[in-house]
Amino acid sequence: MPTQPTDQDGHPLLSTVGLPSWLDPVVHAARTVEPLQLSRFLPPESGAGRQSAVLVLFGEGEKGPEMLLMERAGSLRSHAGQPSFPGGALDPEDGDPQGEGPLRAALREAEEETGLDPHGVQLFAELPRLFIPVSDFVVTPVLGWWRTPTPVGVVDPNETARVFTVPVADLTDPANRATAVHPSGHHGPAFLVESALVWGFTAGVIDRILHFAGWERPWDRSRQVPLDWRA
């Protein structure tokens, strides 16, 4: 049995104690979902790929439950201009990639990119590792509860264009859902929210969380949004 990752004070890095009841379906989904139920792109069996993590942060806003997203700077070489979860590659100081590393990396990257105070975040689950072939990232989605909200915003304009929250009610609204069509021919879920088109890896994770948490509402999958050739 793997040991439970702990912080420097010996407290568990993952805990479901004290979570709001509306997160119960997400906790259950994280415990039961299989990798192929999330994506057909899974980490190479060879162990290749750059280990990374993203923070899927749930909070409570004026319109109820919400999620934290950011928009990557348009000047970046990889995924420029895309809305995404805060996150990035693991650093050596984050620790074991098979243990506490992704948890620490998700919090560290979120703080570096959005100014988020990690002390106000309660991590409660990890989803199975997924793979982004175009950037060779092996990504662990780390789920968190924004127990004590703190101000967030752009820390480095060279990396982040903006930081924003999206109500879960807007993500589940059929009027905000579509199928994104990449010039390569790839089709995937998309969300048109907060003056942004959320697509790709981020939209895929959100789509699966909504589905397996039982929050998804029927939507028109034939509604297509073509992506620019630069995407």
Side-chain angles (χ1 to χ4, degrees):
M1 291 287 292
T3 58
Q4 167 75 356
T6 58
D7 61 21
Q8 293 180 342
D9 298 321
H11 301 127
L13 283 173
L14 286 177
S15 173
T16 59
V17 176
L19 294 179
S21 59
W22 58 261
L23 273 174
D24 289 349
V26 180
V27 173
H28 176 74
R31 287 172 175 168
T32 58
V33 71
E34 298 292 333
L36 281 172
Q37 292 178 308
L38 294 176
S39 174
R40 62 188 177 93
F41 297 111
L42 301 183
E45 293 183 3
S46 65
R50 193 175 183 190
Q51 296 293 325
S52 62
V54 295
L55 179 63
V56 183
L57 185 61
F58 293 90
E60 187 82 45
E62 293 182 359
K63 294 181 64 176
E66 62 184 14
M67 300 178 75
L68 179 69
L69 295 176
M70 51 174 272
E71 190 172 302
R72 296 169 60 84
S75 58
L76 293 175
R77 295 195 316 179
S78 178
H79 307 293
Q82 278 189 242
S84 68
F85 301 116
L90 270 66
D91 284 348
E93 59 265 29
D94 293 323
D96 183 4
Q98 305 302 318
E100 76 280 5
L103 306 177
R104 298 185 190 281
L107 288 176
R108 176 183 54 76
E109 286 283 345
E111 182 177 16
E112 293 176 359
E113 293 176 329
T114 74
L116 175 79
D117 183 354
H119 293 97
V121 175
Q122 177 179 338
L123 303 181
F124 63 87
E126 290 177 287
L127 294 180
R129 286 174 170 79
L130 305 174
F131 187 55
I132 305 180
V134 68
S135 55
D136 201 37
F137 277 120
V138 175
V139 186
T140 301
V142 178
L143 309 186
W145 160 238
W146 209 351
R147 187 182 62 248
T148 307
T150 52
V152 291
V154 174
V155 175
D156 183 354
N158 293 317
E159 291 193 4
T160 308
R162 66 173 174 140
V163 178
F164 58 101
T165 57
V166 180
V168 170
D170 290 352
L171 293 168
T172 60
D173 186 342
N176 298 332
R177 303 213 56 180
T179 296
V181 182
H182 194 274
S184 66
H186 175 72
H187 289 55
F191 300 85
L192 295 93
V193 290
E194 301 297 326
S195 302
L197 173 62
V198 184
W199 62 282
F201 175 84
T202 302
V205 172
I206 294 174
D207 172 77
R208 294 295 80 196
I209 289 176
L210 298 181
H211 175 76
F212 287 106
W215 294 346
E216 184 178 38
R217 297 166 58 190
W219 58 281
D220 183 4
R221 297 174 187 272
S222 68
R223 180 190 182 198
Q224 296 187 348
V225 177
L227 297 172
D228 188 272
W229 64 270
R230 293 186 299 269

